[in-house]
Amino acid sequence: MTPETLQSIAATNQWGALMPEIALGLLAVFLLVLEMVLPKRLHDAAIPRVAIWGQIVVFVAVLLNFDCPFIGQDLFGGMIELSRDGQLMRLFFLLASVLVCFIASISLGKQAVPRVEFYHVVLIATAAMMLLANSNHFVMLFVALETVTVAFYILVSYFRHSPFSLEAGLKYLVLGALSSAILLFGIVLLYGTAGNAALEGSTQQAMHFSALRGFLEASPENPIALVGVVLVLCGVAFKIGAVPFQIWIPDVYQGAPTPVTAFLSVSSKAAGFALLMLLVRGVFAPVAHVVVPLLSMLALLSLAVGNITAIGQQNVKRIMGLSGISHAGFMLMGIVASVDVPWATGAVYFYLATYLLGSMAVFAVMAHVAGADDADQELRHYTDLARGRPLLGATLAIGLGSLAGIPPLAGFMGKLLIFLAAFQAELWLLLGVGVVSVVISIYYYFGWIRVAVFATGSSSAEPAPVGPGRLGSLTMAMLSLAIIVLGVFQGPLGDWLAAR
């Protein structure tokens, strides 16, 4: 590599473009410093607040600088390309991380485990997800994705005293390593094929998304490249929990701490879909004849298997995990539709927003209801919850109703937009299975609501010492209000997504 080449690459190193990620990294280090300098009696109160409010400051900064001057530029030698979609996902991951830290402040207080390290790892994982959503190079993609995966290896088994948490950590480690190997093998095949000078459209920058897309446009039927594309998509399918790569989800979701289950269910899944949209609408667009049937099959299986296996489940964390598989199917339907209907990507982003609000509302309630054994969260523990804790019962009902797609809640609009996109793309089989899946999901979601609101008798849960505090009450009230408002008035978010 010549000095001129190095200078041209160095000229693209615009560190200001990565200030949100840098700020999260500095905040994570600052938490460790606070642990050393603050008296131990202040740790439980001060450190979660610093983590939450620090991320809120970063969120506001990104929101105010949404249309930053770096959008559309190739940065860091082509590793990063900021986009408006990437900015939207930055806001998504920051909001999700704030809510995860809030849920952690409830759950960790019931366990004899270190606190500071948890928030530190969550911040690092969030920064890596933000980089992933703006990646423009397979090296950047893989490094960011594996940073997230390694962080979850730690978080899933964070309750070291619990055999369920340790078992979940081991299963996630084994299957996560398998998915990473599949993904890396696919990247290697693409790199080796696109970099072969004997093939039409070959390029020396085969890891760069735009250069690889040029090769696939010139050689859309190359069998080795197509195998690489399939392997990369299968590796990502592990991350989002699509069938048949969902085998890890029930046990890992049950054994992981409740805030980690929320983090996996929302942020990790959203990172996978942000990556899928980058690939399907970008680098893999020339091979849509392979991508569309593959993702359609994954969507069909996810919708069917996720909903059917959730029926009859008694552990609420497993219900959230298995129902999350069906939500992955709905979003895959939107991604498939986006190949022919460009505005469908906006529908997927809107669905992600509604999924975040509904899931976090439910997980916040779960954190309050859970006892000392975090893995033991059964439906019977919610008996008559609405009478004893009206705010928790109302938040649970609104969150589950949104996830089920009941009007006028936000989840209804999310599903409706996905169905409209599928209708315009003429995905009749997916559309039919999706409608049936909504009906099935109403059965088990309303079974949970029935226990919490209408069932009478004593709950066998280990009750939380106190109900939600002022911050907790405010947070759950705001989540419930946002679900209702977004269901009847989409406002600027709907306008922006419709104009995409």
Side-chain angles (χ1 to χ4, degrees):
M1 186 173 292
T2 64
E4 291 77 12
T5 303
L6 292 174
Q7 289 175 359
S8 65
I9 293 175
T12 65
N13 293 350
Q14 301 291 334
W15 293 101
L18 300 184
M19 284 309 298
E21 291 81 5
I22 294 172
L24 287 187
L26 293 176
L27 179 60
V29 174
F30 182 61
L31 294 182
L32 299 181
V33 174
L34 282 181
E35 183 185 25
M36 293 187 291
V37 300
L38 285 180
K40 194 169 184 179
R41 57 187 173 81
L42 298 178
H43 286 183
D44 294 349
I47 289 176
R49 290 177 182 174
V50 171
I52 291 172
W53 286 105
Q55 290 180 95
I56 292 175
V57 170
V58 178
F59 179 92
V60 172
V62 174
L63 185 62
L64 294 177
N65 195 35
F66 190 87
D67 293 313
C68 71
F70 300 106
I71 288 180
Q73 297 182 25
D74 259 5
L75 306 173
F76 298 92
M79 292 282 182
I80 297 288
E81 182 181 351
L82 294 189
S83 64
R84 290 172 62 83
D85 289 358
Q87 290 287 83
L88 183 66
M89 293 310 298
R90 275 177 163 176
L91 295 174
F92 181 97
F93 293 132
L94 284 166
L95 178 59
S97 183
V98 167
L99 294 171
V100 167
C101 290
F102 160 69
I103 295 171
S105 68
I106 301 164
S107 291
L108 297 182
K110 302 176 182 180
Q111 309 291 333
V113 293
R115 312 289 172 81
V116 181
E117 291 82 352
F118 184 93
Y119 299 103
H120 175 90
V121 177
V122 167
L123 291 173
I124 297 300
T126 301
M129 291 177 192
M130 293 161 65
L131 286 173
L132 180 65
N134 290 287
S135 60
N136 194 40
H137 196 281
F138 271 113
V139 171
M140 184 72 250
L141 180 155
F142 188 75
V143 170
L145 189 61
E146 287 312 294
T147 301
V148 175
T149 303
V150 171
F152 276 114
Y153 292 156
I154 300 169
L155 294 174
V156 169
S157 56
Y158 201 78
F159 288 172
R160 299 189 298 267
H161 58 277
S162 168
F164 290 101
S165 185
L166 293 176
E167 179 186 357
L170 180 60
K171 288 182 177 179
Y172 190 76
L173 173 64
V174 173
L175 293 174
L178 176 61
S179 69
S180 297
I182 292 173
L183 177 67
L184 187 58
F185 190 29
I187 294 173
V188 169
L189 288 178
L190 288 171
Y191 176 71
T193 308
N196 187 343
L199 298 176
E200 182 182 359
S202 63
T203 174
Q204 293 182 349
Q205 300 293 327
M207 287 285 192
H208 194 281
F209 285 177
S210 60
L212 181 57
R213 175 171 178 160
F215 169 78
L216 292 175
E217 287 175 344
S219 304
E221 302 296 337
N222 186 288
I224 299 178
L226 293 179
V227 171
V229 168
V230 170
L231 289 177
V232 168
L233 293 176
C234 289
V236 178
F238 267 102
K239 307 300 181 184
I240 64 175
V243 178
F245 308 104
Q246 88 298 350
I247 190 170
W248 58 275
I249 283 184
D251 292 336
V252 171
Y253 273 45
Q254 180 181 356
T258 297
V260 179
T261 305
F263 205 23
L264 276 169
S265 178
V266 177
S267 294
S268 180
K269 193 183 296 291
F273 278 102
L275 180 54
L276 268 181
M277 283 187 276
L278 277 175
L279 297 175
V280 173
R281 297 277 297 162
V283 59
F284 292 164
V287 290
H289 60 286
V290 172
V291 172
V292 169
L294 175 63
L295 295 185
S296 298
M297 180 187 68
L298 296 183
L300 281 171
L301 292 173
S302 299
L303 288 168
V305 174
N307 282 293
I308 292 172
T309 53
I311 297 174
Q313 291 288 336
Q314 295 299 308
N315 186 280
V316 295
K317 295 175 80 175
R318 296 178 81 91
I319 290 175
M320 291 299 290
L322 293 168
S323 68
I325 297 172
S326 72
H327 287 289
F330 284 112
M331 286 182 273
L332 281 170
M333 187 193 307
I335 290 179
V336 172
S338 71
V339 175
D340 296 315
V341 182
W343 67 264
T345 56
V348 175
Y349 285 123
F350 186 85
Y351 195 101
L352 279 171
T354 64
Y355 182 65
L356 180 150
L357 295 173
S359 295
M360 288 300 180
V362 173
F363 281 114
V365 175
M366 289 168 60
H368 283 90
V369 174
D373 186 357
D374 191 80
D376 182 27
Q377 298 191 44
E378 305 291 323
L379 282 176
R380 66 178 186 276
H381 297 159
Y382 289 78
T383 302
D384 214 17
L385 176 68
R387 181 177 300 179
R389 303 288 188 196
L391 178 60
L392 295 182
T395 302
L396 180 69
I398 292 172
L400 291 174
S402 180
L403 291 175
I406 302 301
L409 303 177
F412 169 76
M413 287 303 302
K415 287 185 169 62
L416 179 62
L417 289 173
I418 293 290
F419 287 162
L420 287 174
F423 179 81
Q424 287 192 15
E426 299 182 355
L427 303 174
W428 309 122
L429 180 59
L430 277 174
L431 190 58
V433 174
V435 171
V436 174
S437 297
V438 171
V439 175
I440 296 174
S441 69
I442 290 174
Y443 174 80
Y444 57 79
Y445 281 133
F446 272 66
W448 191 349
I449 295 174
R450 180 186 60 80
V451 171
V453 177
F454 300 109
T456 57
S458 59
S459 168
S460 58
E462 298 179 39
V466 293
R470 285 181 296 178
L471 178 61
S473 300
L474 178 62
T475 301
M476 287 187 284
M478 290 178 64
L479 284 171
S480 300
L481 182 62
I483 290 171
I484 296 172
V485 170
L486 199 58
V488 297
F489 175 70
Q490 290 71 49
L493 177 60
D495 295 338
W496 184 80
L497 293 175
R500 293 183 70 260

